[in-house]
Amino acid sequence: MKTGLESFELELNGVSMQVQEMDLPKHTAFRVVFSSKRPPIVMARYKDDAGNKLWTSVPEGRKKEAAGVGKLIDQYFEKKNK
């Protein structure tokens, strides 16, 4: 079980997002709750066959949205770890 799970807020185009890291073995995953009427999304990072790290929704179906929010999460951690 992971300790110190991240919880933070992001904002894009006037919509705030409450982001909560999830405790899933061997996976980087987050639950995102939007301030708009958009339903929450659970998303996870995976590697494609070429080894590229990508984001997808769980369950699938909101992959484009997961990729956009995932980019914001990546930027958050890049800025935090500088």
Side-chain angles (χ1 to χ4, degrees), residues 5-22:
L5 296 174
E6 290 280 336
S7 180
F8 52 94
E9 185 174 322
L10 299 171
E11 187 172 330
L12 181 66
N13 299 327
V15 175
S16 62
M17 296 164 259
Q18 296 296 321
V19 182
Q20 176 65 53
E21 185 176 12
M22 299 178 71

Side-chain angles (χ1 to χ4, degrees), residues 11-73:
E11 187 172 330
L12 181 66
N13 299 327
V15 175
S16 62
M17 296 164 259
Q18 296 296 321
V19 182
Q20 176 65 53
E21 185 176 12
M22 299 178 71
D23 185 13
L24 299 177
K26 299 182 184 181
H27 294 282
T28 301
F30 295 88
R31 180 173 190 268
V32 181
V33 178
F34 301 93
S35 65
S36 65
K37 293 182 180 183
R38 183 181 308 176
I41 185 172
V42 173
M43 42 194 285
R45 173 178 262 167
Y46 70 98
K47 286 186 182 180
D48 66 8
D49 293 337
N52 300 309
K53 293 181 179 179
L54 304 169
W55 290 94
T56 191
S57 61
V58 181
E60 292 182 3
R62 296 171 69 186
K63 191 171 186 173
K64 184 176 179 181
E65 188 176 5
V69 175
K71 184 176 179 181
L72 294 175
I73 291 172

